[in-house]
Amino acid sequence: MEYSHVVETYQELESNQSTDKKSSVLAELFRESGPADLEVLGHLSMGRAFPAWKDLDMGIGSKLMVKAIARATGNTEEAVEDEWRETGDLGDVAADFVEGKKQATLQEKELDLASVQENLEKIAAMEGEGSEDKKIGRIAELVTFSSPEEAKYLVRTVLEDLRVGVGEGLVRDAIVKAFFAEMVDGNGFTRKLEDEDLRVAISENLENEVTDYGLWDSFEEENEVEFLDTEEIDLDDLWREEGYDLVVLEDNREWAEKLKESVQHAYDVSTDLGRVARTAEEKGIAGLEEMEMDIFRPVKVMLARKTESMEDGFDTVGDEDGLAALEYKYDGFRVQIHKKGEEVKVFSRRLEDVTEQFPDIVRTVKENVEAEECIIEGETVAYNPEDGSLVPFQKLSKRIKRKYDIQEMVERIPVTVYLFDAIQVEGEVLLDDPQKERWGRLKDIIGESEGLSLAHHLETSDMEEAQKFYQEALNQGQEGIMLKNMGARYKPGSRVGYMVKLKPVMETLDLVIVEADWGEGRRSDWLGSYKLACMEEDTGELKTVGKMATGFTDEQLQEMTDRLEPLIVKEEGRQVDLKPEVVVEAAYEEIQRSPKYESGYALRFPRLVRVRENMDPEDANELEKVEKLYESQQG
Ligand code: AMP
């Protein structure tokens, strides 16, 4: 398929707000695609360069993209940046600049979808010395061959920010629309009466009803209509074998539900909408239902909702006798461990392969998990080897990123995995089994050892016992507890209320003050609003996350001004840039996503808890912590 055709669809998607219309547009594109293109479109259509399970990362940020656009279009980086500031979208900038250049040189070459995908894979695979330059070169080359509109979406795709308003749910709907006949009941049929050129099957039982409609005669004339015995209608066949477009039934709910469920199931086990689309097209519902989980291909993890109190928690997840499973909520990072024979792989919550960083987990799993094959989940927590005290997530995150001297890290920051779930054991998929059963299966295969343990677990309906358990967790420095519905299935990628988390109030963040403003009026001698930044671990750069502006007493303002004034490096009007030295502990209402600050996040109503006298900017919280807190409040 030509890439230009996909781009036309992107444009249509971008200009349509209605989700129903969007899914129809996408369904049309899916129907026109061959099997291989379908696999690619499954993820590309929602702006991902790769399916979620594939541990590939484009490694291209805005900065590199500016370079690539400059190189491809013969402009300076400053010119690209200027335009970017104005439009706020590097895709638009690329389109504009390519347009300008085209008139001069005309290098356009036909791009096809498969080669775009191949190039994305090559770019993602470039690693090591000189790879940045190679990546820029490859993107620049692609842009050179593109039309302005192609360049726009290519750039957005590489940045994994397509901006056409398509998410997973919409792609699922599009798959249903593309590969199965549309089903309506008698009421829904009235909306179809003006349609043409459809192959239509109508349940015999509805014959009198539909032929009574005013537009019936013309409908019958413009379409190919047949009446069928409801008992014999097999929807899968009607579409796939016989090519009906529309099926009119007395009640379509059961089929609609079944379809949705089988697409969802297929996605849950494969985390690959492209594969789901291809299976739907080639094998229909039966094919989707037969899709199974592959070992070493991570499944999206089930997420938790928040609960405000123990009572609420029990209300949400307790069974009819009020019974629920409680576990410590460990503050570490989630791992999904896949084991088959002697091979073990460890995936993060974002489905990245972190096996290399955790040879200790691999070893302990091999030694202590008594299953030939399994997929289990737990939280990895770090301990101080000297006194056994808990190490904050901050430090542990260093291990997640470390690519060298791994053995040294294993010794310096040893970890324990607290296991809490099993989603496949000996090839048997447990997603549909109740939590109690999965926990039982997990217990059966875990031999506890130093680096591996079952999560602290209590099954109770007794509020007092539960409160005691919660206190214990907090006293031991854990984040809080999880309450789990013992009868619930495992729902990948979903924040369903099958488990809830109970924690004390919002955690604070330690952040660096990087800018401030001189106050106004009475306060003009004081530096009064402070821009806060967190640390980006990979680059060591400080990234702004918000501004602390209100609620200070005069004394506080004076004290802050005394601290900050000597650190001024640049003044522009009222605003001053500061040498990053002062770290403060900040509380806030909430973390939001926001393009306003460099981190991509904004703290809502940040307020000062205290100045962190003994902290250097390097000790400030990392961007990753901000992301983690953001994610954790999505419950
Ligand atoms: P949150 O990230 O705040 O939404 O909370 C859910 C996360 O808590 C999970 O993704 C796990 O990483 C973590 N967690 C810690 N202990 C447990 C536990 N016992 N059961 C489930 N999740 C846990």
Side-chain angles (χ1 to χ4, degrees), residues 301-305 326-335 349 377-380 418-421 455-456 479 481-482 484 495 499 501 503 628-629 631-635:
V301 302
M302 178 160 73
L303 301 166
R305 286 209 189 136
L326 275 56
E327 282 167 11
Y328 282 6
K329 181 177 194 312
Y330 302 93
D331 182 19
F333 93 107
R334 174 119 166 217
V335 286
R349 163 183 175 139
E377 279 190 1
E379 189 85 352
T380 303
Y418 288 99
L419 295 163
F420 50 73
D421 219 327
H456 227 75
E479 260 193 309
I481 56 167
M482 308 292 293
K484 303 185 175 182
R495 212 175 270 287
M499 59 175 184
K501 56 197 172 192
K503 299 194 276 194
K628 195 169 179 245
L629 288 171
E631 274 165 18
S632 90
Q633 71 186 25
Q634 300 308 298

Side-chain angles (χ1 to χ4, degrees), residues 83-99:
E83 174 98 355
W84 179 27
R85 222 161 286 133
E86 235 158 72
T87 62
D89 177 359
L90 278 170
D92 287 342
V93 177
D96 269 5
F97 282 17
V98 168
E99 176 88 55

Side-chain angles (χ1 to χ4, degrees), residues 48 77 110 138 147 151 166 266 274 287 377 406 505 515 552 554 599 626:
R48 297 220 187 105
E77 285 171 36
E110 208 122 281
R138 180 66 67 124
S147 69
V166 172
E377 279 190 1
I406 285 170
V505 282
E515 273 177 37
F552 299 106
D554 289 359
S599 62
V626 177

Side-chain angles (χ1 to χ4, degrees), residues 184 257-258 275 383 412:
V184 290
E257 201 49 41
K258 188 171 157 79
R275 240 179 78 187
Y383 283 101
R412 200 143 61 87

